[in-house]
Amino acid sequence: MIDLRSDTVTKPTPAMRTAMMNAEVGDDVYAEDPTVIRLQERVADMLGMEAALFVPSGVMANQTAIKTHTLPGDEVIVESGAHIIQYETGAAPVISGVQLRTFTAPRGIPSVDLIAPLVRGTNYHLPVTRLVCLENTHNKAGGTVVPLDVVSSIRQFTKERGIALHMDGARIWNACVANGTKPAEYGRLVDSMSVCFSKGLGAPIGSAIVGKKEWVLKARRVRKMLGGGMRQVGIIAAAALYALEHHVDRLAEDHANAKLFADIVSRSDTLTIDRSTVETNIVAMDVLKTGKDAAELVAMAKPHGVLLTDMDPRTLRATTHLDVTADQVVSAAQTLLELVP
Ligand SMILES: *Cc1c(COP(=O)(O)O)cnc(C)c1O
């Protein structure tokens, strides 16, 4: 099977497992796990932030951040395709009692012009606009990179309006490898960011949120409330540390493989790819002209040994990662091209 469903399907490498086995551990609820402490310091440093908090999943990272920033009844502005509204089981209104308000951005790239009209005035009938969430790279748009100057202008706007800015940076590593920036260049423009170790970086589990010291202390309390206080988790923090050390630069290979895949599949007359969106490790394909929906195409490819994802009825997704080679990616693309020429 060539598994292009997601970059979450990677398995820890033998070297990563060795790092896990040898990890020094302690009780992290007491903040006494030396490996977790090392990871948090490393991540905060990479993101140019004061502090970081290790959490089990990307969803918990985003939801902990939202709850730490907001009060019940507040409004949070997100792009309509964002993971926070699409793929987190409706968590924000349940966990934080907030209302999500959306705008739709071409290629998932937001702008002040799109966000500004959604910010509420001060009339007391209205909810309070407390937080804007960005996503980088933008998953549903096909792994597009939000440029620094875009974040910078949004930052200027939210700061003027007293609104917090969170970035869902599950794939910030991909964004930075793609455009040659440093994670800290994005980090210094936001109040908080979530980052993921179990996507392209290949760790088996784990995410982190970063922010100011006091904010992270508050987030620590929220994490505990959500059941995310973990004990001797140096054993998994070691995998994340290993991944940060060894698996960031190689994301360029995944990006090259995604382009390879897109080049082949775009020979199809019916499966449409906007190749300008293929900036990182995700290829989003529009199935409209094939006369089939994305789920049908997923089912058709499977018996041929190719696993893909239907993002929505019209969008088929292929994601490259550590556990697929260039040859496998080419072979999967050729198979798909034969199924929908
Ligand atoms: C995967 C992902 C997350 C985290 O989801 P988990 O299922 O908790 O790993 C958050 N944001 C984005 C954009 C993602 O792609």
Side-chain angles (χ1 to χ4, degrees):
M1 280 291 176
I2 304 172
D3 195 345
L4 302 176
R5 285 173 302 167
S6 173
D7 45 8
T8 56
V9 301
T10 56
K11 293 181 181 154
T13 61
M16 184 182 276
R17 287 170 191 256
T18 302
M20 295 172 76
M21 194 174 73
N22 295 329
E24 219 187 318
V25 297
D27 189 330
D28 184 51
V29 173
Y30 290 108
E32 284 173 2
D33 187 300
T35 309
V36 172
I37 291 169
R38 239 177 355 112
L39 173 65
Q40 289 174 167
E41 283 171 356
R42 175 97 219 264
V43 171
D45 190 48
M46 284 176 87
L47 272 298
M49 291 282 205
E50 286 178 13
L53 184 71
F54 188 44
V55 292
S57 71
V59 170
M60 196 186 281
N62 283 332
Q63 296 303 324
T64 300
I66 291 170
K67 192 166 178 64
T68 307
H69 281 299
T70 61
L71 292 170
D74 284 346
E75 201 159 58
V76 176
I77 297 176
V78 295
E79 204 278 327
S80 60
H83 198 275
I84 284 172
I85 190 164
Q86 294 286 341
Y87 306 115
E88 303 197 1
T89 66
V94 175
I95 292 171
S96 301
V98 294
Q99 176 161 287
L100 299 179
R101 194 165 196 214
T102 60
F103 64 95
T104 299
R107 303 174 72 254
I109 308 301
S111 67
V112 173
D113 286 349
L114 289 168
I115 293 169
L118 302 186
V119 174
R120 303 287 187 170
T122 51
N123 183 309
Y124 83 96
H125 294 80
L126 305 170
V128 172
T129 303
R130 188 79 65 182
L131 176 67
V132 170
C133 296
L134 309 178
E135 184 171 311
N136 192 16
T137 64
H138 193 292
N139 174 21
K140 204 159 187 289
T144 48
V145 179
V146 182
L148 267 180
D149 61 330
V150 167
V151 183
S152 180
S153 59
I154 292 169
R155 172 57 176 175
Q156 213 175 331
F157 172 77
T158 53
K159 207 167 178 182
E160 275 165 21
R161 303 298 290 264
I163 302 166
L165 186 61
H166 172 73
M167 181 175 281
D168 176 348
R171 295 190 180 84
I172 191 68
W173 323 110
N174 296 84
C176 290
V177 165
N179 71 0
T181 56
K182 290 204 156 55
E185 294 180 73
Y186 283 104
R188 68 180 166 77
L189 295 174
V190 297
D191 295 297
S192 62
M193 195 190 304
S194 55
V195 301
C196 189
F197 310 117
S198 65
K199 294 254 160 90
L201 296 194
I205 179 172
S207 281
I209 45 178
V210 293
K212 283 210 159 35
K213 215 171 185 171
E214 234 168 87
W215 185 88
V216 169
L217 269 180
K218 206 173 147 195
R220 196 175 176 89
R221 195 176 166 81
V222 174
R223 181 186 71 174
K224 184 68 184 164
M225 179 189 274
L226 299 180
M230 305 183 289
R231 302 295 177 174
Q232 286 74 21
V233 280
I235 207 154
I236 53 176
L241 269 169
Y242 181 90
L244 287 175
E245 209 59 57
H246 301 275
H247 292 170
V248 176
D249 294 341
R250 65 149 305 285
L251 291 171
E253 291 171 39
D254 297 345
H255 299 175
N257 287 342
K259 284 198 174 68
L260 211 53
F261 184 93
D263 286 346
I264 295 168
V265 174
S266 57
R267 286 182 217 142
S268 167
D269 292 328
T270 52
L271 204 51
T272 321
I273 299 176
D274 173 356
R275 276 197 282 175
S276 78
T277 65
V278 188
E279 296 179 71
T280 57
N281 67 329
I282 295 173
V283 182
M285 296 161 272
D286 184 351
V287 305
L288 188 67
K289 285 200 255 167
T290 66
K292 298 191 167 47
D293 67 31
E296 285 176 86
L297 289 174
V298 168
M300 281 166 63
K302 195 175 172 182
H304 296 271
V306 177
L307 301 181
L308 301 163
T309 292
D310 50 318
M311 294 290 278
D312 58 55
R314 239 186 106 162
T315 315
L316 186 66
R317 187 187 78 170
T319 309
T320 58
H321 52 77
L322 184 60
D323 286 357
V324 287
T325 64
D327 286 349
Q328 287 177 311
V329 168
V330 166
S331 156
Q334 283 165 345
T335 302
L336 189 58
L337 185 60
E338 280 164 28
L339 290 172
V340 273

